[in-house]
Every structure is written in C-alpha cells, then in structure tokens.
Amino acid sequence: MGESAATWPSGRGRFVTFEGGEGAGKSTQIKKLADRLKAARMRILVTREPGGSPGAEIMRHLVLSWMGKLLGPEAETLLFAAARDDHVRTVIEPALKQGIW
C-alpha cells in the first residue's frame, strides 16, 4: 500500500471489480476511477457483467428477458456462468496480458 497506480510496475494489467445492489452507485464510482486512471495516463477498459463481449451480450439478453425466468433458476445460473466465461476469455484476460487495467 502507499504506492500510486502510476508507479506500479508495468506489464500485466490490474483487474478491479465493483459489487453492489441496484442503485448502490457502482456506475458513478466506476466513472470516477476510470477518469482518474485516464488522467494518470493508464490504459483502461471498462466493461460489465453479465455481458461485456459479443457472446456474453447475447446471454445477457436471455437472462434479462423473460427467457431467463422461463428456463428456470438452474439454466439461468448456467447462462450467467457461460457469459462470464466468454467475457473473461475473450475480453478481460487479453486486456490484462496487454497491461490494460
């Protein structure tokens, strides 16, 4: 602790998540952090879950539509897991390897 983000070693990016219920202010805090990292000349990527990649966006649509309820809780859980897997493999992990936060 005590080191600023700008002085951390380069190389692999950092993965930061924001958790909280609907209306908790996640989007506001994400924007504030993104603005500070940009001001520090950091390369950043802001994304979301479920979604964040083409395949995961399709699954997001299913989960958030009536289809998620129609399929039942087990299938809905599997859709969330599949969306996360696609998002991590196709967006997050490649960005981290490029040094993107």
Side-chain angles (χ1 to χ4, degrees):
M1 304 269 282
E3 285 184 284
S4 74
T7 63
W8 286 1
S10 61
R12 189 166 174 85
R14 301 292 187 275
F15 184 67
V16 179
T17 68
F18 287 78
E19 302 288 336
E22 199 68 30
K26 298 178 300 291
S27 296
T28 300
Q29 295 305 315
I30 290 166
K31 182 175 179 354
K32 286 181 178 188
L33 177 59
D35 289 347
R36 287 200 62 177
L37 291 173
K38 286 178 192 174
R41 308 189 100 165
M42 305 293 292
R43 294 176 25 197
I44 68 160
L45 169 69
V46 174
T47 187
R48 68 179 184 178
E49 281 194 349
S53 65
E57 286 295 330
I58 293 167
M59 289 175 254
R60 175 188 176 88
H61 174 71
L62 291 173
V63 167
L64 297 179
S65 72
W66 59 270
M67 182 63 77
K69 301 296 181 230
L70 181 66
L71 294 172
E74 293 86 0
E76 192 173 19
T77 300
L78 291 173
L79 282 172
F80 267 103
R84 175 164 290 169
D85 176 68
D86 186 71
H87 188 206
V88 169
R89 281 184 304 100
T90 63
V91 175
I92 296 171
E93 189 60 35
L96 291 172
K97 287 179 181 176
Q98 293 175 36
I100 297 171
W101 281 51

